[in-house]
Tab-separated table of all heavy atoms in Angstrom:
chain	number	residue	atom	x	y	z
A	1	ASP	N	93.274	102.480	69.375
A	1	ASP	CA	93.344	101.277	70.100
A	1	ASP	C	94.380	101.349	71.236
A	1	ASP	O	94.195	100.745	72.194
A	1	ASP	CB	93.780	100.010	69.016
A	1	ASP	CG	92.763	99.720	68.096
A	1	ASP	OD1	91.503	100.196	68.326
A	1	ASP	OD2	93.085	99.096	67.124
A	2	VAL	N	95.625	101.913	70.977
A	2	VAL	CA	96.732	101.928	71.968
A	2	VAL	C	96.273	102.924	73.009
A	2	VAL	O	96.517	102.644	74.230
A	2	VAL	CB	97.973	102.450	71.254
A	2	VAL	CG1	98.946	102.841	72.226
A	2	VAL	CG2	98.525	101.513	70.347
A	3	VAL	N	95.469	103.990	72.808
A	3	VAL	CA	94.966	104.853	73.769
A	3	VAL	C	94.143	104.083	74.788
A	3	VAL	O	94.307	104.192	76.022
A	3	VAL	CB	94.162	106.059	73.150
A	3	VAL	CG1	93.329	106.743	74.258
A	3	VAL	CG2	95.068	106.997	72.428
A	4	VAL	N	93.324	103.230	74.376
A	4	VAL	CA	92.468	102.428	75.215
A	4	VAL	C	93.258	101.427	75.996
A	4	VAL	O	93.020	101.136	77.165
A	4	VAL	CB	91.269	101.819	74.448
A	4	VAL	CG1	90.374	100.890	75.335
A	4	VAL	CG2	90.331	102.887	73.735
A	5	LEU	N	94.208	100.701	75.318
A	5	LEU	CA	95.029	99.836	76.095
A	5	LEU	C	95.800	100.504	77.146
A	5	LEU	O	95.804	99.860	78.273
A	5	LEU	CB	96.010	99.162	75.129
A	5	LEU	CG	95.388	98.013	74.093
A	5	LEU	CD1	96.510	97.722	73.030
A	5	LEU	CD2	94.963	96.844	74.773
A	6	LYS	N	96.286	101.605	76.850
A	6	LYS	CA	97.044	102.338	77.980
A	6	LYS	C	96.051	102.782	79.015
A	6	LYS	O	96.512	102.908	80.214
A	6	LYS	CB	97.695	103.577	77.200
A	6	LYS	CG	99.032	103.207	76.475
A	6	LYS	CD	99.609	104.583	76.012
A	6	LYS	CE	100.998	104.265	75.314
A	6	LYS	NZ	101.583	105.507	74.866
A	7	PHE	N	94.882	103.079	78.796
A	7	PHE	CA	93.923	103.400	79.761
A	7	PHE	C	93.730	102.223	80.732
A	7	PHE	O	93.675	102.517	81.980
A	7	PHE	CB	92.634	103.825	79.110
A	7	PHE	CG	91.403	103.730	80.097
A	7	PHE	CD1	91.257	104.795	81.034
A	7	PHE	CD2	90.533	102.741	80.103
A	7	PHE	CE1	90.272	104.750	81.972
A	7	PHE	CE2	89.460	102.658	81.005
A	7	PHE	CZ	89.344	103.729	81.922
A	8	VAL	N	93.521	101.067	80.146
A	8	VAL	CA	93.427	99.991	81.038
A	8	VAL	C	94.514	99.715	81.985
A	8	VAL	O	94.373	99.503	83.210
A	8	VAL	CB	93.236	98.584	80.161
A	8	VAL	CG1	93.237	97.445	81.044
A	8	VAL	CG2	91.809	98.690	79.373
A	9	HIS	N	95.762	99.997	81.392
A	9	HIS	CA	96.978	99.863	82.239
A	9	HIS	C	96.992	100.826	83.370
A	9	HIS	O	97.197	100.531	84.448
A	9	HIS	CB	98.212	100.034	81.257
A	9	HIS	CG	99.464	100.062	82.067
A	9	HIS	ND1	100.430	100.974	81.775
A	9	HIS	CD2	100.002	99.150	82.922
A	9	HIS	CE1	101.415	100.758	82.553
A	9	HIS	NE2	101.212	99.709	83.215
A	10	THR	N	96.665	102.136	82.967
A	10	THR	CA	96.690	103.223	83.957
A	10	THR	C	95.593	102.998	85.142
A	10	THR	O	95.848	102.995	86.353
A	10	THR	CB	96.505	104.501	83.317
A	10	THR	OG1	97.580	104.697	82.368
A	10	THR	CG2	96.562	105.690	84.335
A	11	ARG	N	94.384	102.715	84.660
A	11	ARG	CA	93.168	102.703	85.486
A	11	ARG	C	93.240	101.572	86.452
A	11	ARG	O	92.807	101.644	87.610
A	11	ARG	CB	91.918	102.666	84.634
A	11	ARG	CG	90.696	102.516	85.276
A	11	ARG	CD	90.342	103.855	85.980
A	11	ARG	NE	88.906	103.725	86.664
A	11	ARG	CZ	88.758	103.086	87.778
A	11	ARG	NH1	89.691	102.488	88.467
A	11	ARG	NH2	87.532	103.114	88.230
A	12	PHE	N	93.649	100.359	85.905
A	12	PHE	CA	93.572	99.186	86.714
A	12	PHE	C	94.861	98.726	87.321
A	12	PHE	O	94.878	97.639	88.080
A	12	PHE	CB	92.964	98.147	85.996
A	12	PHE	CG	91.474	98.474	85.518
A	12	PHE	CD1	91.240	98.848	84.247
A	12	PHE	CD2	90.430	98.398	86.520
A	12	PHE	CE1	89.937	99.226	83.874
A	12	PHE	CE2	89.193	98.814	86.067
A	12	PHE	CZ	88.878	99.238	84.822
A	13	VAL	N	96.035	99.401	87.057
A	13	VAL	CA	97.394	99.054	87.620
A	13	VAL	C	97.924	100.128	88.316
A	13	VAL	O	98.111	100.185	89.468
A	13	VAL	CB	98.270	98.392	86.549
A	13	VAL	CG1	99.588	98.081	87.195
A	13	VAL	CG2	97.590	97.168	85.900
A	14	LEU	N	98.230	101.230	87.503
A	14	LEU	CA	99.101	102.344	88.108
A	14	LEU	C	98.329	103.096	89.183
A	14	LEU	O	98.938	103.768	89.985
A	14	LEU	CB	99.477	103.218	87.014
A	14	LEU	CG	100.326	102.633	85.942
A	14	LEU	CD1	100.816	103.848	84.950
A	14	LEU	CD2	101.577	101.978	86.521
A	15	GLU	N	96.936	103.071	89.072
A	15	GLU	CA	96.238	103.857	90.148
A	15	GLU	C	95.911	103.006	91.399
A	15	GLU	O	95.124	103.584	92.205
A	15	GLU	CB	94.892	104.461	89.508
A	15	GLU	CG	95.172	105.433	88.429
A	15	GLU	CD	93.907	106.011	87.718
A	15	GLU	OE1	92.837	105.401	88.127
A	15	GLU	OE2	94.042	106.910	86.999
A	16	ARG	N	96.253	101.798	91.391
A	16	ARG	CA	96.032	100.916	92.585
A	16	ARG	C	96.652	101.443	93.839
A	16	ARG	O	97.810	101.748	93.838
A	16	ARG	CB	96.521	99.468	92.410
A	16	ARG	CG	95.621	98.676	91.304
A	16	ARG	CD	96.362	97.406	91.074
A	16	ARG	NE	96.403	96.517	92.268
A	16	ARG	CZ	95.555	95.571	92.594
A	16	ARG	NH1	94.545	95.187	91.713
A	16	ARG	NH2	95.787	94.759	93.658
A	17	PRO	N	95.930	101.599	94.978
A	17	PRO	CA	96.446	102.050	96.291
A	17	PRO	C	97.637	101.213	96.780
A	17	PRO	O	98.650	101.773	97.407
A	17	PRO	CB	95.283	102.021	97.235
A	17	PRO	CG	94.131	102.121	96.371
A	17	PRO	CD	94.475	101.399	95.061
A	18	ASP	N	97.717	99.889	96.588
A	18	ASP	CA	98.700	99.011	97.066
A	18	ASP	C	100.043	99.349	96.217
A	18	ASP	O	101.141	99.383	96.915
A	18	ASP	CB	98.320	97.504	96.938
A	18	ASP	CG	97.829	97.110	95.555
A	18	ASP	OD1	97.604	98.000	94.669
A	18	ASP	OD2	97.490	95.920	95.368
A	19	LEU	N	99.910	99.560	94.946
A	19	LEU	CA	101.114	99.945	94.224
A	19	LEU	C	101.559	101.278	94.675
A	19	LEU	O	102.822	101.537	94.817
A	19	LEU	CB	100.741	99.869	92.721
A	19	LEU	CG	101.942	100.277	91.716
A	19	LEU	CD1	103.112	99.466	91.974
A	19	LEU	CD2	101.486	100.395	90.261
A	20	ALA	N	100.668	102.184	94.877
A	20	ALA	CA	101.061	103.571	95.287
A	20	ALA	C	101.800	103.456	96.659
A	20	ALA	O	102.849	104.164	96.850
A	20	ALA	CB	99.893	104.584	95.382
A	21	THR	N	101.341	102.698	97.493
A	21	THR	CA	101.972	102.557	98.881
A	21	THR	C	103.399	102.034	98.717
A	21	THR	O	104.312	102.461	99.268
A	21	THR	CB	101.150	101.600	99.709
A	21	THR	OG1	99.868	101.990	99.840
A	21	THR	CG2	101.769	101.440	101.164
A	22	TYR	N	103.553	100.968	97.882
A	22	TYR	CA	104.889	100.412	97.560
A	22	TYR	C	105.855	101.465	97.019
A	22	TYR	O	107.016	101.619	97.394
A	22	TYR	CB	104.705	99.259	96.585
A	22	TYR	CG	105.888	98.378	96.431
A	22	TYR	CD1	106.552	97.772	97.442
A	22	TYR	CD2	106.535	98.284	95.136
A	22	TYR	CE1	107.666	96.934	97.202
A	22	TYR	CE2	107.612	97.553	94.857
A	22	TYR	CZ	108.263	96.850	95.843
A	22	TYR	OH	109.314	96.184	95.696
A	23	GLN	N	105.300	102.226	96.095
A	23	GLN	CA	106.132	103.370	95.363
A	23	GLN	C	106.464	104.362	96.310
A	23	GLN	O	107.623	104.979	96.161
A	23	GLN	CB	105.388	103.830	94.176
A	23	GLN	CG	105.168	102.789	93.069
A	23	GLN	CD	104.525	103.258	91.857
A	23	GLN	OE1	103.588	104.004	91.981
A	23	GLN	NE2	104.905	102.873	90.636
A	24	ARG	N	105.654	104.710	97.213
A	24	ARG	CA	105.994	105.809	98.170
A	24	ARG	C	107.295	105.400	99.037
A	24	ARG	O	108.102	106.243	99.263
A	24	ARG	CB	104.853	106.031	99.171
A	24	ARG	CG	103.565	106.573	98.652
A	24	ARG	CD	103.689	108.047	98.389
A	24	ARG	NE	103.824	108.806	99.538
A	24	ARG	CZ	103.959	110.205	99.559
A	24	ARG	NH1	103.932	110.848	98.425
A	24	ARG	NH2	103.985	110.824	100.748
A	25	GLY	N	107.347	104.040	99.338
A	25	GLY	CA	108.438	103.608	100.024
A	25	GLY	C	109.700	103.690	99.071
A	25	GLY	O	110.836	104.099	99.563
A	26	GLN	N	109.587	103.403	97.819
A	26	GLN	CA	110.714	103.517	96.853
A	26	GLN	C	111.147	104.943	96.775
A	26	GLN	O	112.311	105.165	96.659
A	26	GLN	CB	110.357	102.868	95.591
A	26	GLN	CG	110.133	101.436	95.650
A	26	GLN	CD	109.562	100.905	94.294
A	26	GLN	OE1	108.774	101.579	93.538
A	26	GLN	NE2	109.946	99.649	93.901
A	27	GLY	N	110.243	105.830	96.760
A	27	GLY	CA	110.536	107.264	96.649
A	27	GLY	C	111.396	107.721	97.844
A	27	GLY	O	112.320	108.518	97.681
A	28	ARG	N	111.072	107.190	98.958
A	28	ARG	CA	111.886	107.484	100.227
A	28	ARG	C	113.445	107.023	100.080
A	28	ARG	O	114.242	107.671	100.606
A	28	ARG	CB	111.192	106.917	101.457
A	28	ARG	CG	109.908	107.562	101.813
A	28	ARG	CD	110.140	108.914	102.176
A	28	ARG	NE	110.965	109.152	103.391
A	28	ARG	CZ	110.551	109.057	104.673
A	28	ARG	NH1	109.185	108.853	104.839
A	28	ARG	NH2	111.429	109.268	105.796
A	29	VAL	N	113.533	105.851	99.430
A	29	VAL	CA	114.792	105.319	99.271
A	29	VAL	C	115.682	106.410	98.392
A	29	VAL	O	116.829	106.641	98.745
A	29	VAL	CB	114.759	103.981	98.409
A	29	VAL	CG1	116.138	103.638	97.919
A	29	VAL	CG2	114.207	102.874	99.399
A	30	LEU	N	115.033	106.986	97.349
A	30	LEU	CA	115.854	107.906	96.587
A	30	LEU	C	116.101	109.129	97.281
A	30	LEU	O	117.187	109.893	97.161
A	30	LEU	CB	114.974	108.164	95.231
A	30	LEU	CG	114.830	107.037	94.303
A	30	LEU	CD1	113.920	107.478	93.141
A	30	LEU	CD2	116.206	106.612	93.818
A	31	GLU	N	115.215	109.549	98.223
A	31	GLU	CA	115.497	110.821	98.959
A	31	GLU	C	116.606	110.446	99.965
A	31	GLU	O	117.529	111.327	100.096
A	31	GLU	CB	114.152	111.144	99.811
A	31	GLU	CG	113.053	111.667	99.014
A	31	GLU	CD	111.877	112.020	99.877
A	31	GLU	OE1	112.073	112.310	101.112
A	31	GLU	OE2	110.751	112.079	99.512
A	32	THR	N	116.585	109.258	100.445
A	32	THR	CA	117.845	108.968	101.366
A	32	THR	C	119.014	108.991	100.669
A	32	THR	O	120.096	109.443	101.178
A	32	THR	CB	117.539	107.562	101.894
A	32	THR	OG1	116.328	107.534	102.778
A	32	THR	CG2	118.672	107.074	102.829
A	33	LEU	N	119.069	108.590	99.405
A	33	LEU	CA	120.369	108.547	98.646
A	33	LEU	C	120.772	110.043	98.285
A	33	LEU	O	121.985	110.189	98.453
A	33	LEU	CB	120.172	107.703	97.264
A	33	LEU	CG	119.957	106.198	97.429
A	33	LEU	CD1	119.565	105.655	96.168
A	33	LEU	CD2	121.213	105.591	97.999
A	34	VAL	N	119.858	110.781	97.879
A	34	VAL	CA	120.197	112.214	97.554
A	34	VAL	C	120.758	112.897	98.787
A	34	VAL	O	121.870	113.640	98.669
A	34	VAL	CB	119.035	112.909	96.916
A	34	VAL	CG1	119.379	114.448	96.793
A	34	VAL	CG2	118.705	112.342	95.541
A	35	ASP	N	120.080	112.820	99.765
A	35	ASP	CA	120.490	113.548	101.062
A	35	ASP	C	121.770	112.914	101.602
A	35	ASP	O	122.588	113.748	102.087
A	35	ASP	CB	119.327	113.442	102.016
A	35	ASP	CG	118.083	114.269	101.723
A	35	ASP	OD1	118.201	115.067	100.846
A	35	ASP	OD2	116.978	113.914	102.258
A	36	GLY	N	121.847	111.642	101.506
A	36	GLY	CA	123.044	111.027	102.188
A	36	GLY	C	124.333	111.394	101.345
A	36	GLY	O	125.340	111.760	101.951
A	37	PHE	N	124.275	111.304	100.105
A	37	PHE	CA	125.408	111.652	99.261
A	37	PHE	C	125.790	113.179	99.317
A	37	PHE	O	126.955	113.516	99.279
A	37	PHE	CB	125.330	111.173	97.736
A	37	PHE	CG	125.394	109.690	97.693
A	37	PHE	CD1	124.506	108.923	96.966
A	37	PHE	CD2	126.550	109.083	98.087
A	37	PHE	CE1	124.560	107.528	96.791
A	37	PHE	CE2	126.749	107.607	97.839
A	37	PHE	CZ	125.765	106.908	97.272
A	38	SER	N	124.827	113.923	99.325
A	38	SER	CA	124.978	115.436	99.452
A	38	SER	C	125.711	115.751	100.717
A	38	SER	O	126.650	116.486	100.742
A	38	SER	CB	123.707	116.128	99.389
A	38	SER	OG	122.967	116.025	98.162
A	39	ALA	N	125.215	115.212	101.861
A	39	ALA	CA	125.829	115.367	103.127
A	39	ALA	C	127.312	114.933	103.138
A	39	ALA	O	128.202	115.518	103.684
A	39	ALA	CB	125.012	114.836	104.301
A	40	TRP	N	127.495	113.682	102.646
A	40	TRP	CA	128.829	113.132	102.500
A	40	TRP	C	129.836	114.033	101.812
A	40	TRP	O	130.923	114.259	102.323
A	40	TRP	CB	128.695	111.748	101.840
A	40	TRP	CG	130.016	110.897	102.042
A	40	TRP	CD1	131.148	111.271	102.474
A	40	TRP	CD2	130.091	109.513	101.668
A	40	TRP	NE1	132.080	110.227	102.345
A	40	TRP	CE2	131.414	109.107	101.818
A	40	TRP	CE3	129.259	108.561	101.050
A	40	TRP	CZ2	131.887	107.811	101.581
A	40	TRP	CZ3	129.606	107.369	100.900
A	40	TRP	CH2	130.974	106.895	101.093
């Protein structure tokens, strides 16, 4: 039952292109922080 519930979550939420676009931007934030503090 939990396997199928998690499938619904993954298939219809996590794989959405709009969420992926938003998360790509968040990933860039973390890159900025790592690079910025390293250089500092």
Side-chain angles (χ1 to χ4, degrees):
D1 292 347
V2 169
V3 166
V4 176
L5 286 173
K6 286 183 174 181
F7 162 77
V8 172
H9 174 231
T10 300
R11 176 74 174 79
F12 297 104
V13 178
L14 298 185
E15 294 180 357
R16 287 173 61 102
D18 49 359
L19 177 60
T21 303
Y22 187 63
Q23 290 179 327
R24 293 282 294 181
Q26 293 174 326
R28 292 295 300 273
V29 169
L30 294 176
E31 291 185 25
T32 298
L33 291 172
V34 168
D35 292 343
F37 284 126
S38 296
W40 190 350

